[in-house]
Coordinates of all heavy atoms in Angstrom, one line a residue:
I42 N 138.2 96.7 109.9 CA 137.4 95.6 110.4 C 136.0 95.7 109.4 O 135.3 96.7 109.4 CB 136.9 96.0 111.9 CG1 138.0 95.9 112.8 CG2 135.7 95.0 112.2 CD1 137.6 96.4 114.1
P43 N 135.8 94.7 108.6 CA 134.7 94.6 107.7 C 133.4 94.8 108.3 O 132.6 95.4 107.7 CB 135.0 93.2 107.0 CG 136.3 92.9 107.1 CD 136.7 93.4 108.5
E44 N 133.1 94.1 109.5 CA 131.8 94.1 110.1 C 131.9 94.2 111.5 O 132.8 93.6 112.2 CB 131.0 92.8 109.7 CG 130.7 92.5 108.3 CD 130.0 91.3 108.1 OE1 129.0 91.1 108.8 OE2 130.3 90.5 107.2
I45 N 131.1 95.0 112.2 CA 131.1 95.1 113.6 C 129.8 95.6 114.2 O 129.0 96.2 113.5 CB 132.1 96.2 114.0 CG1 132.3 96.3 115.6 CG2 131.8 97.5 113.5 CD1 133.5 97.1 116.1
F46 N 129.4 95.0 115.3 CA 128.3 95.6 116.0 C 128.5 95.6 117.5 O 129.4 94.9 118.0 CB 126.8 94.9 115.7 CG 126.6 93.6 116.5 CD1 126.0 93.6 117.7 CD2 127.0 92.5 115.7 CE1 125.7 92.3 118.2 CE2 126.6 91.2 116.2 CZ 126.1 91.2 117.5
Y47 N 127.8 96.5 118.3 CA 128.1 96.8 119.6 C 126.9 96.5 120.6 O 125.7 96.8 120.2 CB 128.5 98.3 119.7 CG 128.3 99.0 120.9 CD1 129.3 99.1 121.8 CD2 127.1 99.7 121.2 CE1 129.1 99.8 123.1 CE2 126.9 100.4 122.3 CZ 128.0 100.6 123.2 OH 127.8 101.2 124.5
V48 N 127.1 95.9 121.7 CA 126.1 95.5 122.6 C 126.2 96.2 123.9 O 127.4 95.9 124.5 CB 125.8 94.0 122.9 CG1 124.7 93.8 123.7 CG2 125.5 93.3 121.5
A49 N 125.4 96.9 124.5 CA 125.5 97.5 125.9 C 124.2 97.3 126.6 O 123.2 97.5 126.2 CB 125.9 98.9 125.7
T50 N 124.4 96.6 127.8 CA 123.3 96.3 128.8 C 123.7 96.9 130.0 O 124.8 97.3 130.2 CB 122.9 94.8 128.7 OG1 123.9 94.0 129.4 CG2 122.7 94.2 127.3
C51 N 122.9 96.6 131.0 CA 123.2 97.0 132.5 C 124.5 96.2 133.0 O 125.1 96.7 134.0 CB 122.0 96.8 133.3 SG 121.4 95.1 133.5
N52 N 124.8 95.0 132.5 CA 126.0 94.3 133.0 C 127.0 93.9 132.0 O 127.8 93.0 132.2 CB 125.5 93.2 133.8 CG 124.6 92.3 133.1 OD1 124.7 92.0 132.0 ND2 123.5 91.8 133.8
R53 N 126.9 94.5 130.7 CA 128.0 94.1 129.8 C 128.1 95.2 128.6 O 127.2 95.8 128.3 CB 127.7 92.8 129.1 CG 126.5 92.7 128.2 CD 126.2 91.3 127.6 NE 125.9 90.4 128.8 CZ 126.8 89.5 129.1 NH1 127.9 89.3 128.6 NH2 126.5 88.6 130.1
V54 N 129.4 95.3 128.2 CA 129.6 96.1 126.9 C 130.4 95.1 126.0 O 131.6 94.7 126.5 CB 130.3 97.4 127.2 CG1 130.8 98.0 125.9 CG2 129.5 98.3 128.0
E55 N 129.9 94.8 124.8 CA 130.7 93.9 124.0 C 130.8 94.5 122.5 O 129.8 95.0 122.1 CB 130.0 92.4 124.0 CG 130.0 91.9 125.4 CD 129.6 90.4 125.4 OE1 129.8 89.8 124.4 OE2 129.4 89.9 126.5
F56 N 131.9 94.1 121.9 CA 132.1 94.4 120.5 C 132.2 93.2 119.7 O 133.1 92.3 120.0 CB 133.2 95.3 120.3 CG 133.2 96.7 121.0 CD1 133.6 96.8 122.3 CD2 132.7 97.8 120.4 CE1 133.5 98.0 123.0 CE2 132.6 99.1 121.0 CZ 133.1 99.1 122.3
V57 N 131.3 92.9 118.8 CA 131.3 91.7 118.0 C 131.8 92.0 116.7 O 131.2 92.9 116.0 CB 129.9 91.0 118.0 CG1 129.9 89.7 117.2 CG2 129.2 90.8 119.3
M58 N 132.9 91.3 116.2 CA 133.4 91.6 114.9 C 133.7 90.6 113.9 O 133.9 89.4 114.5 CB 134.8 92.3 115.2 CG 134.8 93.6 116.0 SD 136.5 94.1 116.5 CE 136.6 93.1 118.0
A59 N 133.8 90.8 112.7 CA 134.3 89.9 111.7 C 135.6 90.5 111.2 O 135.6 91.5 110.5 CB 133.3 89.7 110.6
T60 N 136.7 90.0 111.7 CA 138.1 90.7 111.2 C 139.2 89.6 111.3 O 139.1 88.6 112.0 CB 138.3 91.9 112.3 OG1 139.6 92.3 111.9 CG2 138.5 91.3 113.6
A61 N 140.2 89.9 110.5 CA 141.4 89.0 110.5 C 142.4 89.5 111.5 O 143.4 88.8 111.8 CB 141.9 89.1 109.0
N62 N 142.2 90.6 112.1 CA 143.1 91.3 113.1 C 143.2 90.4 114.3 O 142.4 89.8 114.9 CB 142.6 92.6 113.6 CG 142.8 93.7 112.6 OD1 143.8 93.8 111.9 ND2 141.7 94.6 112.5
P63 N 144.6 90.2 114.7 CA 144.8 89.5 116.1 C 144.3 90.4 117.2 O 144.7 91.6 117.1 CB 146.4 89.3 116.1 CG 146.8 90.3 115.2 CD 145.8 90.5 114.1
I64 N 143.6 89.8 118.1 CA 143.1 90.7 119.2 C 143.9 90.4 120.5 O 143.8 89.4 121.1 CB 141.5 90.5 119.5 CG1 140.8 90.4 118.2 CG2 141.1 91.4 120.6 CD1 140.7 91.8 117.6
D65 N 144.9 91.3 120.8 CA 145.7 91.2 122.0 C 145.6 92.5 122.7 O 144.8 93.3 122.6 CB 147.1 90.9 121.6 CG 147.6 92.0 120.6 OD1 147.0 93.0 120.4 OD2 148.6 91.7 119.9
N66 N 146.4 92.5 123.8 CA 146.2 93.7 124.8 C 146.6 95.0 124.0 O 146.0 96.1 124.3 CB 147.2 93.5 126.0 CG 146.7 92.5 127.0 OD1 145.5 92.2 126.9 ND2 147.3 92.2 128.0
D67 N 147.6 94.8 123.1 CA 147.9 96.2 122.3 C 146.7 96.6 121.5 O 146.5 97.8 121.4 CB 149.2 95.8 121.5 CG 149.7 97.0 120.7 OD1 149.9 98.0 121.4 OD2 149.7 96.9 119.5

Side-chain angles (χ1 to χ4, degrees):
I42 299 172
E44 300 182 45
I45 185 169
F46 79 90
Y47 153 92
V48 179
T50 71
C51 58
N52 53 39
R53 70 181 61 252
V54 172
E55 303 198 9
F56 297 88
V57 183
M58 296 171 274
T60 178
N62 286 319
I64 311 294
D65 51 21
N66 283 355
D67 182 56

